């Protein structure tokens, strides 16, 4: 396991996810160094409760893995931090501010299906959008724009296919370009929504390594939603489990135990460790099959 | 034969045709990127109803066409209606609109030629005033596209990230629908309601086969649209067959040629 930033250790008291433990955190004052703070945050969509009284402080540089069954509100958590969905109660802070759309310090890798093979777009165009796609008009400094896009393409090793139609690339290649798109704005907070979905093992490793390297070198915070913990197990400082009714957050060692997971899921589950891998039996840990998930409300 | 080129109506037709082609080619890129083929049909059909209603009310059909297209676009955009082929409700409303248009025209049988020109285009009948109107609308469309180019592109191709980056995705839809309404009204003059696809979708569909670079795709799309439009006018002037026939034939040929021509392989 990676070194844990000091400030994270202090937050461990939230403990293994009993609802009551959350109360403590609610009385915590705002922590100036925190990347993300949730205080008694509750979310409901269309009148339905998604998660309730979520309290969590994520330190700068922390790698937080988020797991939970489909529909538990993992994507919605990211959308709250992006300023796209309001909480019904409590508060969320990103770098000490109320979440707002278009925050320049956030890089976002959406839960995404593959691009239409016919789409008239190259990889470098997708990456370029991450840089200035939100500005009016057309690009006025194409040379500077291009240089910056090239630099980030080199960083993720996607330069070789950046001029090909993006829809013709493999899932792993498309995901590298999505990472480049998220990184080009120099984010200090990366929100990754199931970025390993339907990737082969090699591509999964590449994606994880790119995100981990960015986090390490920039001291960037990562919130990483995944259906399979194993590819990020050695990077995770903490795991947040959302189950709908309950939630819990703790270090992987303390979270991934039969007792903790059984109490959070409310049904008996077995945690089996084999070498470096963990298997949770008896319940869906995350988005189960690597099936493209329909976007909500788009 | 060549003497025909001395006539003002041919010049007018070429001018309106060129303006329309540039507009349709550029807008068509976004129509294909946003998968909005059905909206093109829908707006054109509402435009027909509006034009027919205008004829009935004694107003110029162009006015009815334009206002119906814009109103329909605004309604679709503000209500957030999703235009999908499968949507029975929308299909039914559109068919009702067309039926209403047919009634309007039959009530005034002397306007049968009007109906024909709205349905199939009447580019050879445009006058100097039409040229001016087309130029103004065309300039408006291109200026709007230029202004929103980057956020529209982002919202069209990658809506999830665009939204997170603070782009008003809904507003972009409304803006694009209004731009599309203007483009539809322009293109109806050339090929009519029923053949609208031939200018607003086919050239862009051919262009995306030739390149994946957005700027180039828009350029190719406008060039193809211009080529088939001018070709159609020339064909019609020489044969006195309908312009729409030539435009749709050339458009099909361009599309087939683009499909058969190899798409750029992976770099
Ligand atoms: N825009 C929306 N409209 C209606 N329901 C939504 C919307 N977005 C999310 N939901 C619902 O909220 C719940 C949580 O969704 P989501 O955050 O996508 O879960 P997860 O990512 O954990 O699978 C789901 O039940 C989903 O159906
Ligand atoms: Mg999700």
């Amino acid at each position: 396991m990676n070194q844990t930033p000091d400030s994270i250790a202090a937050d461990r008291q939230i403990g293994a996810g009993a609802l009551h433990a959350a109360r403590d955190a609610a009385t915590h004052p705002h922590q100036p160094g925190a990347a993300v703070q949730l205080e008694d945050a509750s979310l409901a969509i269309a009148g339905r409760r998604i998660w309730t009284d979520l309290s969590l402080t994520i330190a700068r540089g922390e790698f937080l893995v988020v797991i939970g069954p489909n529909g538990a509100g993992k994507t919605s958590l990211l959308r709250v931090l992006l300023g796209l969905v309001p909480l019904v109660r409590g508060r969320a802070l990103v770098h000490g501010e109320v979440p707002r759309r278009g925050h320049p310090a956030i890089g976002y890798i959406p839960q995404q299906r593959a691009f239409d093979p016919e789409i008239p777009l190259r990889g470098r165009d997708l990456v370029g959008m991450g840089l200035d796609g939100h500005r009016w008009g057309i690009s006025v400094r194409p040379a500077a724009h291009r240089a910056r896009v090239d630099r980030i393409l080199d960083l993720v090793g996607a330069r070789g296919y950046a001029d090909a139609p993006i829809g013709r690339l493999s899932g792993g290649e498309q995901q590298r370009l999505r990472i480049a798109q998220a990184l080009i704005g120099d984010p200090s907070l990366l929100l990754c929504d199931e970025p390993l979905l339907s990737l082969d093992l090699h591509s999964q490793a590449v994606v994880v390594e790119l995100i981990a390297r960015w986090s390490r070198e920039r001291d960037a915070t990562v919130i990483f939603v995944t259906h399979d913990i194993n590819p990020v197990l050695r990077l995770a400082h903490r795991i947040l489990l959302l189950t709908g009714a309950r939630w819990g957050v703790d270090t992987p060692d303390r979270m991934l135990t039969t007792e903790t997971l059984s109490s959070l899921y409310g049904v008996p589950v077995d945690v089996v460790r084999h070498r470096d891998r963990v298997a949770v039996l008896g319940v869906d840990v995350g988005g189960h099959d690597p099936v493209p998930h329909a976007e909500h409300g788009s | 034969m060549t003497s025909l080129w001395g006539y003002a109506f041919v010049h007018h037709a070429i001018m309106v045709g060129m303006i329309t082609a540039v507009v349709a080619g550029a807008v068509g890129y976004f129509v294909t990127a946003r998968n909005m083929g059905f909206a093109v049909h829908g707006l054109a059909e509402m435009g027909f109803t509006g034009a027919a209603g205008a004829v009935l009310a004694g107003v110029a059909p162009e006015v009815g066409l334009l206002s119906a297209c814009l109103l329909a676009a605004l309604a679709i955009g503000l209500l957030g209606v999703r235009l999908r082929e499968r949507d029975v409700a929308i299909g039914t409303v559109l068919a009702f609109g067309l039926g209403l248009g047919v009634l309007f025209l039959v009530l005034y049988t002397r306007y049968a030629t009007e109906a024909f020109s709205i349905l199939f285009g009447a580019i050879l009948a445009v006058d100097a005033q039409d040229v001016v109107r087309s130029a103004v609308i065309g300039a408006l469309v291109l200026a709007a596209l230029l202004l929103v180019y980057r956020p529209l592109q982002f919202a069209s191709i990658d809506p999830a990230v665009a939204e997170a980056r603070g782009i008003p995705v809904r507003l972009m839809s409304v803006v694009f629908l209004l731009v599309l309404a203007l483009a539809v009204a322009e293109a109806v003059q050339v090929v009519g309601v029923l053949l609208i696809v031939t200018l607003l979708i086919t050239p862009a569909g051919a262009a995306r086969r030739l390149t994946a670079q957005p700027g180039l795709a828009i350029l190719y799309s406008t060039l193809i649209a211009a080529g088939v439009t001018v070709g159609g006018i020339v064909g019609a002037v020489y044969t006195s067959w309908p312009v729409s026939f030539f435009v749709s034939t050339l458009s099909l040929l361009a599309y087939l040629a683009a499909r058969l021509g190899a798409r750029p392989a992976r770099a």
Side-chain angles (χ1 to χ4, degrees), chain A:
Chain A
M1 165 137 12
N2 270 17
Q3 264 189 320
T4 311
D6 293 343
S7 45
I8 295 172
D11 200 38
R12 272 187 196 151
Q13 68 208 28
I14 289 181
L19 273 172
H20 325 289
R23 303 282 170 222
D24 302 344
T27 56
H28 283 180
H30 165 57
Q31 300 186 5
V36 172
Q37 262 187 291
L38 293 163
E39 295 169 6
D40 267 348
S42 300
L43 180 70
I45 293 174
R48 209 165 60 77
R49 278 163 52 167
I50 308 294
W51 29 256
T52 308
D53 290 335
L54 184 57
S55 292
L56 172 67
T57 301
I58 305 171
R60 177 89 202 240
E62 178 169 359
F63 197 110
L64 178 78
V65 170
V66 182
I67 56 173
N70 255 349
K74 306 180 295 296
T75 296
S76 303
L77 173 62
L78 301 187
R79 288 175 61 82
V80 164
L81 300 180
L82 287 165
L84 298 174
V85 193
L87 294 169
V88 288
R89 223 179 37 246
R91 122 178 138 133
L93 296 174
V94 173
H95 295 142
E97 297 167 42
V98 173
R100 65 185 154 90
R101 296 167 48 148
H103 197 304
I106 299 182
Y108 176 45
I109 302 171
Q111 183 173 328
Q112 190 81 26
R113 62 189 110 205
F115 285 99
D116 172 0
E118 293 285 300
I119 204 154
L121 195 80
R122 300 163 302 171
R124 68 165 57 254
D125 301 313
L126 182 83
V127 175
M129 284 175 181
L131 185 59
D132 60 10
H134 58 290
R135 292 185 199 281
W136 298 110
I138 56 173
S139 181
V140 283
R141 296 180 55 215
H145 175 100
R146 195 183 166 88
R148 231 177 124 180
V149 170
D150 281 342
R151 223 177 310 134
I152 205 82
L153 285 169
D154 283 334
L155 186 81
V156 303
R159 183 83 168 263
Y161 44 83
D163 290 304
I166 195 167
R168 302 291 168 98
L169 300 177
S170 73
E173 289 167 336
Q174 291 188 13
Q175 199 58 283
R176 277 198 206 214
L177 291 163
R178 285 221 160 265
I179 293 171
Q181 185 197 36
L183 296 185
I184 198 167
D186 243 334
S188 53
L189 172 60
L190 271 180
L191 306 180
C192 314
D193 201 350
E194 313 231 13
L196 307 180
L197 211 60
S198 47
L199 296 187
D200 59 68
L201 284 177
H202 170 72
S203 300
Q204 288 191 355
V206 167
V207 164
V208 167
E209 176 48 31
L210 285 172
I211 293 170
R213 199 172 76 204
W214 185 267
S215 171
R216 224 166 33 230
E217 290 173 1
R218 309 287 174 125
D219 193 27
T221 314
V222 178
I223 303 183
F224 195 103
V225 176
T226 181
H227 62 283
D228 181 6
I229 326 168
N230 285 303
V232 281
L233 196 52
R234 102 202 129 73
L235 296 164
H237 294 126
R238 285 188 303 169
I239 295 175
L240 169 66
L241 170 62
L242 301 173
T243 64
R246 281 171 282 258
W247 60 270
V249 62
D250 211 330
T251 59
D253 284 337
R254 285 196 276 180
M255 180 60 96
L256 299 173
T257 64
T258 298
E259 296 72 40
T260 307
L261 290 190
S262 296
S263 79
L264 282 172
Y265 277 107
V267 293
V269 302
D270 283 308
V271 178
V272 181
R273 284 185 170 263
H274 179 67
R275 304 224 174 108
D276 280 347
R277 296 183 64 83
V278 172
V280 180
L281 308 175
V283 72
D284 280 331
V285 174
H288 45 78
D289 315 328
V291 174
H293 174 100
E295 280 295 318
H296 301 298
S298 60

